Amino acid sequence: EDQVTQSPEALRLQEGESSSLNCSYTVSGLRGLFWYRQDPGKGPEFLFTLYSAGEEKEKERLKATLTKKESFLHITAPKPEDSATYLCAVQGRGTSYGKLTFGQGTILTVHP
Amino acid sequence: NAGVTQTPKFRVLKTGQSMTLLCAQDMNHEYMYWYRQDPGMGLRLIHYSVGEGTTAKGEVPDGYNVSRLKKQNFLLGLESAAPSQTSVYFCASSRGGVMIYGYTFGSGTRLTVV
C-alpha cells in the first residue's frame, strides 16, 4: 500500500525567510510524485510532477526535488501570497487508472 | 475555460436524507474521481471512473454510489446521509492512458450532515 507523510504539519515563515517542506513516501515502484497548492475554500491546484530520483523542477519561488524516499519543496524568499496548504501525492506502479495517494499536507503561513 | 465544475458548493442535510453531487468537466478527460477531504486525514478516494459507463470503488466507498452516464459528468450519490459523511468533497479529472498526468480539481462541495 502506498503511503505519503508530509512534514511539518504547519510552518510559519517571515517574508523572505527561505525554507523547505518534506514529503516522505513508500510506494511499490514510483510512477510519479505530484505537488499541489490548495488555497482556503478551493480545490488543489497542480504545481509539479517528478518522475525519477535526481529530478528537479522550478516555478517562480518554488523548487521541487526528488530522491528515492522523499521529495522536498523548497521555497526561496517567500511572499505572503505563497501562504497555502501544500499537498504531496504519489502514483505507484501497483496502482491503476491514475489513482493518487495524498499526504495530509503542510499549512504554510508567510507573515509580511 | 471552465475545467471541472462542482454543484452545489454548500449543502446541509439532515441524517437520513439523500442527495446527489454533480461534477462536470469540459476537457474531454477519460478518468474522473471523487475524493473527500477531512481535517488531519488528507484526501481519500471514494470512487473513480475510467470512462463513460464505468465506475469502481476507491478507499472509502461505503455509503456512496456513483454514475457516469456521460463522459463529461460524474455523479456522487448519498442514499441515506450520516453525520460521518460531513466533509468537503472534491471531484477531479485526468486524461488517462499510459502517460502520467496530474489531476484537475473542482472547487469542492462542503457538506454538513446534522
Side-chain angles (χ1 to χ4, degrees):
Chain A
E1 182 178 334
D2 300 342
Q3 291 188 328
V4 177
T5 303
Q6 292 186 244
S7 61
E9 291 185 8
L11 180 64
R12 294 178 181 272
L13 300 173
Q14 289 296 126
E15 184 172 2
E17 179 187 3
S18 301
S19 188
S20 297
L21 282 57
N22 177 263
C23 171
S24 297
Y25 64 91
T26 55
V27 64
S28 55
L30 181 69
R31 297 191 72 205
L33 184 142
F34 300 80
W35 281 99
Y36 287 85
R37 170 191 170 126
Q38 186 175 20
D39 293 304
K42 296 188 177 181
E45 178 183 350
F46 172 78
L47 291 174
F48 304 108
T49 307
L50 302 168
Y51 298 99
S52 59
E55 188 175 2
E56 299 181 351
K57 289 192 176 176
E58 292 187 60
K59 180 180 181 179
E60 297 182 356
R61 295 176 292 282
L62 301 177
K63 179 180 178 180
T65 61
L66 181 65
T67 72
K68 289 186 177 180
K69 293 184 178 182
E70 56 192 351
S71 177
F72 292 94
L73 185 64
H74 306 278
I75 303 175
T76 302
K79 298 181 178 181
E81 52 262 42
D82 294 322
S83 297
T85 297
Y86 290 85
L87 301 173
C88 173
V90 296
Q91 183 183 134
R93 297 192 185 281
T95 61
S96 58
Y97 305 118
K99 290 185 293 181
L100 299 182
T101 299
F102 285 84
Q104 296 179 0
T106 294
I107 302 170
L108 174 66
T109 305
V110 182
H111 296 284
Chain B
N1 197 21
V4 177
T5 303
Q6 291 184 235
T7 54
K9 295 188 182 301
F10 303 93
R11 186 72 184 269
V12 178
L13 283 180
K14 294 183 178 180
T15 298
Q17 287 185 320
S18 63
M19 78 163 294
T20 300
L21 282 66
L22 173 63
C23 176
Q25 53 97 0
D26 62 0
M27 298 169 288
N28 201 35
H29 283 175
E30 286 295 330
Y31 297 172
M32 297 186 74
Y33 311 85
W34 276 107
Y35 281 84
R36 59 178 290 172
Q37 186 175 43
D38 302 291
M41 304 195 73
L43 285 158
R44 293 181 292 168
L45 182 64
I46 305 171
H47 285 282
Y48 64 98
S49 167
V50 299
E52 181 178 310
T54 74
T55 63
K57 294 181 180 179
E59 181 185 355
V60 288
D62 294 342
Y64 305 95
N65 57 76
V66 288
S67 65
R68 192 161 176 208
L69 300 180
K70 294 183 178 181
K71 185 177 182 178
Q72 63 267 34
N73 295 337
F74 195 28
L75 279 63
L76 178 70
L78 286 73
E79 290 186 347
S80 179
S84 61
Q85 294 178 304
T86 294
S87 186
V88 181
Y89 292 86
F90 287 101
C91 176
S93 69
S94 70
R95 293 185 193 178
V98 297
M99 296 298 291
I100 300 167
Y101 298 103
Y103 292 174
T104 300
F105 281 89
S107 59
T109 295
R110 184 174 296 276
L111 175 66
T112 303
V113 182
V114 297

